[in-house]
Every structure is written in structure tokens, then in C-alpha cells.
Amino acid sequence: MFNSKYLSHNKIDASCIINFENKIKNLKDSSIGKGVTIMPNVIIYKGNKIGSNCFIGHNTIIRENNIIKNEVKIGSNVEIAFNVKIGKNSKIHSNCFICEHAIIGNNVFIAPNVTFLNSKYPNRMDSKKKLKAPIIENNVVIGGGATLLPGVTIRSGSIIGGGAVVTKNVPKNTIFYEKKIFVMKKND
């Protein structure tokens, strides 16, 4: 399922699967911008829009209908579920899970082992109807091992400490760790 049409302006390992087709039929082929590097064993499903000058690490899975803007770096062993939007110049390090419908702004840094969740009651019969993913605004830093619970919004300029469990919205320009919020001084 590797399609050589992407090779003219990109570095894509031959072991990658691009335009994998699952249960969702009639999706267009994924579009991939110029200057993209895709490492071995990556699977990219149909219906994605990947910008220019991106990097996608080993063993990453990108499901259907995602929008990944220019200059995005995605580490190894990352799963990006359906309908995710990732802003330009963002970095998602290794072993992260980005749930369906998540929104990640521009210039966001996500350290290794971060988990985004979108269901308060997973595996219930109606849970898919009530999904509410985290929203991350621009210029946010999320420390390693953090867990973002369903529906939280992290406002621009905030920092989430490593290992934090984010259960509520985080205001603009704040530091959040160990269930505490500290307001940062604004740079004028």
C-alpha cells in the first residue's frame, strides 16, 4: 500500500503504509506536503492532510481525517486517533496517545508518554456519542507522563508539569502541577 507518488519531495521508508483503508470507505488519499520525513513502520490511514517539512517517527500510527500543519515533529510509537488537528511547529514526543477530536495549537511541546482522553465512561454503549477531547491552545508545554482528562482546555502560554493529571481547565499563562495552579508573571 506504499504509494510512490509521495517520494518525489519526501524521505519515506519503504516499510511504511500510506493510505491504509479501514472500515471508513470513500475517503480520499492522504495528502503529504514537501520535505516530509517518515521513518520505518509508520501507518498513515486515508483522509489525512499532512503539511510540509514534518517528521514522523518510527512505528507511529495516524488514523483517518487528521490535519497536521507544517513543521510538525511526531516522535516514535505515537498514535494519533481520528479527526485530530495539530497546529504548525508543534512537537509530540515518543509514546504519546492523542485521542479522537483533540485540538493542538501552534508551537505546542508535548513530552514523552502524554495521554489525551476523551471519554468519561469508556466502553459504555453510548460513550462514542459523548466524546469530548482536550483542547490545547498555542504555545503550551506539557511535561512527560501527563494525562489530560476529557474536555479540558489548556489555555495559551501554560505549562503542565510532568506526571500531572489535568482534571479541569487551565487558565492562560499558568503553571499546573500536582493539582495546583500557579499564575505566571506576564512578560510585557
Side-chain angles (χ1 to χ4, degrees):
M1 280 191 248
F2 183 79
N3 192 327
S4 62
K5 74 179 181 180
Y6 300 108
L7 287 175
S8 62
H9 301 288
N10 299 303
K11 296 177 185 175
I12 301 174
D13 188 84
S15 66
C16 296
I17 299 173
I18 299 176
N19 291 317
F20 184 79
E21 191 167 358
N22 197 10
K23 297 175 187 176
I24 303 172
K25 303 295 180 194
N26 302 319
L27 289 175
K28 292 181 180 179
D29 284 352
S30 289
S31 65
I32 298 176
K34 294 180 181 179
V36 174
T37 299
I38 302 177
M39 299 304 285
N41 303 312
V42 169
I43 300 172
I44 298 173
Y45 286 64
K46 284 186 144 195
N48 291 291
K49 294 178 183 175
I50 299 173
S52 297
N53 302 313
C54 292
F55 176 89
I56 302 171
H58 299 77
N59 306 312
T60 290
I61 298 172
I62 300 175
R63 297 297 304 262
E64 296 91 351
N65 293 325
N66 298 297
I67 298 172
I68 299 171
K69 298 286 186 163
N70 296 338
E71 307 284 340
V72 170
K73 308 295 184 242
I74 300 171
S76 298
N77 304 310
V78 172
E79 181 176 346
I80 298 173
F82 316 88
N83 303 314
V84 172
K85 294 178 183 170
I86 302 173
K88 67 182 178 180
N89 199 39
S90 289
K91 293 171 182 60
I92 302 171
H93 281 265
S94 299
N95 303 311
C96 292
F97 174 73
I98 311 298
C99 67
E100 294 173 62
H101 311 296
I103 298 173
I104 298 170
N106 299 325
N107 306 307
V108 171
F109 177 89
I110 300 173
N113 302 306
V114 171
T115 302
F116 284 49
L117 301 174
N118 61 4
S119 179
K120 285 187 179 183
Y121 308 103
N123 208 26
R124 288 178 66 178
M125 202 155 61
D126 63 346
S127 66
K128 283 281 192 188
K129 296 176 186 172
K130 298 178 180 180
L131 297 179
K132 193 165 184 189
I135 297 171
I136 312 304
E137 292 184 353
N138 299 333
N139 304 307
V140 167
V141 174
I142 301 174
T147 301
L148 311 180
L149 294 185
V152 299
T153 297
I154 300 174
R155 300 280 180 208
S156 64
S158 293
I159 299 171
I160 306 301
V165 178
V166 181
T167 61
K168 57 187 174 183
N169 294 340
V170 176
K172 183 177 181 178
N173 296 319
T174 59
I175 299 173
F176 178 95
Y177 66 95
E178 296 179 10
K179 298 185 180 180
K180 296 178 184 170
I181 294 179
F182 298 90
V183 177
M184 294 189 297
K185 261 191 166 178
K186 290 185 182 179
N187 295 329
D188 294 326

